[in-house]
Amino acid sequence: TNKNKRQMWVQFYTDEMKAASHREIELENELRLAIMNGEFELYFQPIIDLATDTIVKAEALIRWNHPEKGVINPDVFIPIAEKSELIITLGKWVISRACQVARQLCDLKHCIKISMNLSPSQVYDEDLYNYLCSCVTKYEVDPQKLEIEVTEGVLVESYTNTDLLLNKIRDYGLTVSVDDFGTGYSSLSYLKKLPIDYLKIDRSFVQDVATDDNDKAIVKAVIGMAHNLNLKVIAEGVETNEQLNFLVDNHCNSVQGYLFSKPVKLESFIDLLNDYTTTKE
Ligand code: C2E
Ligand code: MG
Ligand code: MG
Ligand code: MG
C-alpha cells in the first residue's frame, strides 16, 4: 500500500541522512587531526594581466594531503570546516602561509601579489585584522602584495561591520576582490558602497562566452559596469583561446584558468614564474 511505501521511504531517507551526518562528523574529526598534523598545502594559480602579459598575481588555493585518500580538493572539506570553528584555525593557517610565500617569492625577485580566499565567518571574526597584521609583520611582507577574496554574500550580510573591516584592511594596503561575481546576490548596491578593487567573473559565465550570446552579453555588461565604477575585472576559468580572445577584445583586465596553468605546488609555481619571465626577455 501507499502507506507502507511511504514508511519505507521515510525509513530509507532517515538512514541516508544518518549516514550522511555520520560521514560529516567523521570528516570533521579527521579535519581536526589533519590541522594538528599539518596535512594542508597551498597551491598557486597564476593570474595574468592582459595589458602587460605578465603574471601579476597568484591565487592561493588550499589542498589537503590526506595520508590515505591522497589530495583532497577544498570543495569537499571547506564546507565542513565552515560548519564549525575549524574554518577559523584553517583560515589562519592559510593567511600565515600566504604571507610566508609572498615573502619567499619577493626574495626570489618575483614580487607578485598573493590573493587568499576568506570564508564568511573569518570576515566576521573580530581577531582577523590583528592576526593578518601580525603575519604581515612576522614575514615582513608589503601589504600591497596581498589580496583577499570574498564572495558577494559576505558583502551584503551584516553590512556595517564588513564595511569597517574592509576599509581597515584596505587602508593597511591590501586589495579586495569579489569572488564568483554574478552567482550570489542580485542586489548591486554594495558595489557603490563597499571598498572593492576587483570583480572576479565566475567561471560559469566564462565557460561558453565564445559561443553563447547570453554569456557574451553578460560578460560585456559586467566589464562595462565594473570599469564605470573604477573596478578591475578578472575572468575565472579561462580554458580556451577563443574565450581569451573574447575577453581581450572586451577589455577584461586579467585572466586566470587552465589555459595558462592549473593550481600547482609552490615549487612548480616558481618554475612557472622563472619560465614566464625568461620567455619574455
Ligand atoms: P574559487 O576561489 O572560486 O577558486 C577558483 C576555483 O576554480 C579553484 O578550484 C580553481 O582550481 C578552479 N579553476 C581555475 N581555473 C579553472 C579552469 O580553467 N577550469 C576549471 N574547471 N576550474 C578552474 P579549487 O582550488 O578546487 O577551489 C574551489 C573553491 O574552494 C574556491 O573557489 C574557494 O571558494 C574555496 N577555497 C580554496 N582555497 C580556499 C581557502 O584557502 N580558504 C577558503 N575559505 N576557501 C578556499
Ligand atoms: Mg577565489
Ligand atoms: Mg572564484
Ligand atoms: Mg568559484
Side-chain angles (χ1 to χ4, degrees):
T1 67
N2 265 341
K3 198 180 164 197
N4 277 343
K5 259 192 206 156
R6 193 185 309 146
Q7 249 165 11
M8 269 165 59
W9 187 81
V10 167
Q11 185 57 42
F12 169 76
Y13 190 65
T14 331
D15 288 349
E16 278 287 285
M17 286 200 314
K18 272 188 196 150
S21 69
H22 183 74
R23 272 196 301 275
E24 271 194 18
I25 292 167
E26 230 174 43
L27 196 57
E28 192 185 312
N29 287 332
E30 275 191 75
L31 265 177
R32 213 176 291 275
L33 284 174
I35 292 176
M36 293 197 304
N37 294 337
E39 291 171 11
F40 295 92
E41 181 172 1
L42 288 187
Y43 277 41
F44 298 90
Q45 187 179 33
I47 296 175
I48 289 94
D49 174 54
L50 292 175
T52 57
D53 186 29
T54 50
I55 300 176
V56 283
K57 195 157 39 182
E59 180 171 6
L61 294 153
I62 196 168
R63 299 290 181 265
W64 178 3
N65 295 319
H66 193 286
E68 284 122 39
K69 297 175 194 160
V71 181
I72 305 182
N73 281 337
D75 288 330
V76 178
F77 63 88
I78 289 287
I80 306 281
E82 281 177 341
K83 287 187 182 173
S84 68
E85 82 299 339
L86 287 176
I87 192 61
I88 300 294
T89 320
L90 204 54
K92 282 185 171 170
W93 177 82
V94 170
I95 293 171
S96 167
R97 177 68 187 144
C99 288
Q100 192 183 19
V101 170
R103 167 81 270 151
Q104 194 179 339
L105 291 179
C106 213
D107 289 343
L108 293 168
K109 301 285 171 276
H110 295 297
C111 265
I112 61 163
K113 200 180 275 208
I114 303 290
S115 103
M116 45 202 163
N117 293 282
L118 291 191
S119 285
S121 31
Q122 284 183 275
V123 178
Y124 307 142
D125 177 23
E126 297 196 338
D127 229 25
L128 177 83
Y129 180 74
N130 287 335
Y131 184 78
L132 180 67
C133 296
S134 74
C135 292
V136 166
T137 310
K138 178 176 177 191
Y139 293 108
E140 300 178 43
V141 230
D142 177 357
Q144 299 190 359
K145 297 297 173 194
L146 296 171
E147 178 164 302
I148 57 164
E149 299 191 7
V150 293
T151 48
E152 287 171 89
V154 169
L155 301 172
V156 177
E157 280 162 35
S158 100
Y159 166 71
T160 353
N161 288 338
T162 314
D163 193 12
L164 279 172
L165 175 78
L166 292 185
N167 270 311
K168 261 180 17 179
I169 288 183
R170 237 162 137 247
D171 288 346
Y172 190 51
L174 282 82
T175 46
V176 178
S177 280
V178 181
D179 207 350
D180 305 338
F181 182 77
T183 60
Y185 285 72
S186 51
S187 163
L188 294 173
S189 57
Y190 72 86
L191 288 178
K192 60 175 186 182
K193 295 176 194 151
L194 288 173
I196 298 165
D197 302 284
Y198 298 90
L199 297 186
K200 296 191 80 172
I201 303 186
D202 191 69
R203 181 159 59 88
S204 57
F205 301 109
V206 176
Q207 209 157 7
D208 297 322
V209 82
T211 49
D212 185 305
D213 285 342
N214 290 333
D215 286 324
K216 282 185 206 288
I218 291 170
V219 170
K220 269 191 196 183
V222 169
I223 295 172
M225 176 191 68
H227 287 169
N228 284 323
L229 290 166
N230 279 321
L231 303 171
K232 288 183 173 175
V233 180
I234 304 167
E236 294 188 316
V238 179
E239 296 183 354
T240 69
N241 277 310
E242 289 71 27
Q243 294 165 343
L244 177 65
N245 291 338
F246 179 88
L247 294 163
V248 170
D249 291 346
N250 287 283
H251 315 290
C252 187
N253 302 91
S254 34
V255 286
Q256 171 181 7
Y258 294 173
L259 180 63
F260 303 92
S261 169
K262 288 192 170 188
V264 291
K265 286 170 179 284
L266 180 62
E267 261 187 14
S268 314
F269 186 71
I270 292 171
D271 289 343
L272 204 139
L273 283 171
N274 287 332
D275 290 349
Y276 217 86
T277 327
T278 325
T279 49
K280 287 187 62 67
E281 273 163 3

